[in-house]
């Protein structure tokens, strides 16, 4: 039986918007490519912001041509998953004509997000100090691999390098295995989320003070900020964090366990759950064993404990154990593939796969909204834009036409 709360969530997620989204009327210039910047801007666009994607003529965002398979058109599935609800303008920012149009856009903007290597925007004359003269209230967010300052600031920074150099890879995988990165781009996505947090905080501050500000977000800092448990152990004990596979430093057992047909995950994270587990699997001797009497002891003897538990877990399937443990109030779950996660009853209920109408691709899948706003639920109002699709539309909004437009075209504003 569904609770009232679950019914309310399902109803509100399907209810058409009757009032403006929270960021309605906020204009954002997305001068970014690939992942962290575009993803950050898409999240803000989902909340109602008018996001104008400024792209190099000819090629556009590098992600348009990325990935090893082709769609019907020239845009990759990755691009389509990070750029919904935006408008696209092509501008050659290396030309005076292109910069002239860009400056006009800056005058109308509340926020700008860029993720070029430190120094590039200054070389182009469109860094924060330059644009602040045009628009003092501008919130300017720079996303980079290692930040705008420091010995590594000039290095090219991608998710892999940030994971490696922040320490994330040093604790990912199994103790005797080779270096392994997290399966998802935690530095990229983490930085996008931290940037959103900084941008929205700065925007709230601007509403009070009238002043914009500069935001320096980096993949390195973001990845390092996720290391709460590992650094807690290091600072508390002096022991360098190490790889634990699916286990962690906080409690045991809390990891993947092998059943008769494969693995599942479970966690008995406190003494009450540990007693419940021992009773449920009919292993009361484990609860009395001096090696496992307390959580610190179970952590110290983690490998022995896992081996003992798997002697019992190997007698039934993973599904049987998950159902059995959950019925007893012990946290457990299957290890799903992405198709299984999206197609699960829960994934469908949470609408984590949605379809967007695209002028070339037809119906294309997109990942659903990760956070649900109940009063003003997000919606898709625009397909991921074709390269330069809205250039003329936005020029008209700026009042650029006739001889002025021709002069800009002749000056190379919109050509590679």
């Amino acid at each position: 039986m569904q609770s009232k709360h679950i019914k309310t969530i399902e109803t509100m997620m399907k209810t058409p918007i009757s009032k403006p989204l929270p960021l309605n009327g906020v204009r954002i210039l997305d001068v970014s490519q690939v992942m962290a910047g575009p993803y950050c801007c898409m999240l803000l666009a989902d909340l109602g912001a008018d996001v104008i994607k400024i792209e190099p003529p000819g090629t556009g965002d590098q992600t348009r041509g990325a990935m090893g398979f082709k769609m019907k058109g020239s845009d990759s599935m990755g691009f389509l998953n990070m750029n919904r609800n935006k408008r696209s303008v092509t501008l050659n920012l290396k030309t005076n004509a292109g910069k002239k149009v860009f400056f006009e856009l800056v005058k109308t903007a509340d926020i700008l997000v860029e993720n070029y290597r430190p120094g590039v925007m200054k070389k182009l004359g469109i860094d924060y100090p330059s644009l602040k003269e045009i628009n003092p209230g501008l919130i300017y967010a720079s996303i980079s691999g290692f930040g705008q300052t420091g010995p590594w600031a000039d290095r090219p920074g991608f998710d892999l390098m940030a994971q490696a150099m922040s320490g994330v890879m040093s604790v990912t995988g199994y103790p005797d295995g080779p270096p392994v990165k997290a399966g998802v781009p935690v530095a990229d996505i983490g930085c996008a989320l931290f940037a959103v947090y900084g941008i929205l905080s700065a925007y709230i501050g601007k509403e009070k003070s009238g002043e914009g500000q500069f935001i320096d977000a980096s993949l390195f800092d973001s990845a390092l900020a996720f290391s709460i448990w590992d650094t807690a152990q290091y600072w508390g004990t002096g022991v360098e964090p190490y790889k634990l596979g699916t286990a962690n430093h906080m409690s045991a057992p809390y990891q993947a366990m092998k059943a008769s047909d494969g693995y599942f995950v479970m966690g008995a994270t406190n003494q009450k759950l540990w007693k419940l587990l021992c009773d449920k699997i009919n292993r009361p001797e484990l609860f009395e064993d001096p090696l496992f009497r307390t959580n610190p002891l179970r952590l110290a003897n983690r490998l022995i404990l896992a081996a003992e538990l798997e002697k019992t877990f190997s007698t039934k399937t993973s599904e049987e154990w998950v159902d059995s443990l959950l019925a007893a109030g012990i946290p457990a779950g299957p290890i799903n593939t992405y198709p299984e996660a999206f197609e699960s009853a829960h994934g469908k209920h949470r609408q984590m796969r949605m379809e967007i109408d695209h002028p070339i691709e037809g119906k294309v899948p997109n990942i659903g909204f990760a956070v649900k706003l109940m009063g003003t639920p997000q919606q898709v109002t625009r397909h991921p834009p074709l390269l330069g699709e809205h250039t003329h539309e936005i020029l008209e909004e700026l009042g650029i036409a006739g001889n002025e437009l021709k002069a800009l075209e002749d000056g190379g504003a919109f050509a590679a």
Side-chain angles (χ1 to χ4, degrees), residues 234-294:
Y234 174 55
W235 288 332
T237 67
V239 176
E240 184 176 301
Y242 47 86
K243 298 175 183 178
L244 289 173
T246 60
N248 81 348
H249 296 289
M250 185 177 70
S251 58
Y254 181 82
Q255 64 187 87
M257 292 288 180
K258 191 172 184 179
S260 63
D261 64 339
Y263 289 87
F264 68 100
V265 293
M266 55 77 59
T269 55
N270 56 43
Q271 205 65 10
K272 178 184 177 182
L273 288 173
W274 172 236
K275 179 68 165 62
L276 273 175
L277 176 64
C278 293
D279 292 344
K280 185 64 183 178
I281 66 175
N282 198 26
R283 296 287 302 274
E285 78 279 6
L286 293 180
F287 188 75
E288 301 298 331
D289 194 314
L291 291 177
F292 313 133
R293 193 158 289 159
T294 65

Side-chain angles (χ1 to χ4, degrees), residues 9-298:
I9 289 175
E10 186 172 29
T11 300
M12 295 187 81
M13 285 168 62
K14 292 179 178 179
T15 301
I17 294 174
S18 58
K19 48 188 170 182
L21 286 169
L23 298 184
N24 186 54
V26 176
R27 173 165 286 184
I28 299 172
L29 302 185
D30 178 2
V31 195
S32 66
Q33 299 195 49
V34 189
M35 176 161 274
Y39 190 75
C40 164
C41 292
M42 182 185 74
L43 295 179
L44 297 169
D46 288 345
L47 292 170
D50 176 22
V51 175
I52 299 175
K53 189 171 180 67
I54 312 294
E55 301 189 72
T59 57
D61 185 329
Q62 295 174 36
T63 313
R64 286 186 182 273
M67 308 187 77
F69 59 92
K70 293 292 292 181
M71 304 288 286
K72 294 177 184 176
S74 57
D75 293 338
S76 74
M77 193 69 225
F79 178 86
L80 299 179
N81 248 308
M82 290 187 289
N83 290 282
R84 64 178 176 243
N85 285 334
K86 301 180 185 180
R87 298 192 284 172
S88 171
V89 172
T90 52
L91 282 180
N92 188 340
L93 297 177
K94 295 179 180 179
T95 66
N96 290 331
K99 278 188 274 195
K100 183 177 179 181
V101 177
F102 182 71
F103 292 148
E104 290 302 310
L105 279 170
V106 168
K107 292 175 184 177
T108 72
D110 298 286
I111 298 158
L112 182 148
V113 179
E114 65 90 11
N115 67 347
Y116 287 86
R117 281 175 68 174
V120 170
M121 299 299 271
K122 183 177 181 180
K123 185 177 180 181
L124 291 172
I126 55 175
D127 55 335
Y128 177 63
S130 300
L131 299 188
K132 185 181 178 182
E133 296 297 317
I134 299 172
N135 183 350
L138 183 68
I139 294 164
Y140 190 116
S142 286
I143 293 173
S144 61
F146 300 98
Q148 302 298 307
T149 62
W152 297 346
D154 291 335
R155 292 191 181 198
F158 294 92
D159 181 83
L160 178 62
M161 288 73 204
Q163 286 198 37
M165 296 169 72
S166 66
V168 169
M169 282 179 63
S170 74
V171 296
T172 305
Y174 284 87
D176 299 327
V180 178
K181 72 175 181 65
V184 294
V186 293
D188 264 325
I189 298 298
C191 188
L193 296 175
F194 283 126
V196 168
Y197 148 78
I199 288 166
L200 293 179
S201 297
Y203 185 77
I204 292 170
K206 173 189 170 182
E207 291 294 284
K208 298 175 181 178
S209 69
E211 297 179 2
Q213 64 174 296
F214 180 76
I215 296 169
D216 179 1
S218 84
L219 275 63
F220 174 80
D221 295 357
S222 300
L224 201 49
F226 287 156
S227 66
I228 295 166
W229 294 118
D230 302 288
T231 53
Q233 181 201 15
Y234 174 55
W235 288 332
T237 67
V239 176
E240 184 176 301
Y242 47 86
K243 298 175 183 178
L244 289 173
T246 60
N248 81 348
H249 296 289
M250 185 177 70
S251 58
Y254 181 82
Q255 64 187 87
M257 292 288 180
K258 191 172 184 179
S260 63
D261 64 339
Y263 289 87
F264 68 100
V265 293
M266 55 77 59
T269 55
N270 56 43
Q271 205 65 10
K272 178 184 177 182
L273 288 173
W274 172 236
K275 179 68 165 62
L276 273 175
L277 176 64
C278 293
D279 292 344
K280 185 64 183 178
I281 66 175
N282 198 26
R283 296 287 302 274
E285 78 279 6
L286 293 180
F287 188 75
E288 301 298 331
D289 194 314
L291 291 177
F292 313 133
R293 193 158 289 159
T294 65
N295 186 59
L297 287 169
R298 292 192 290 277

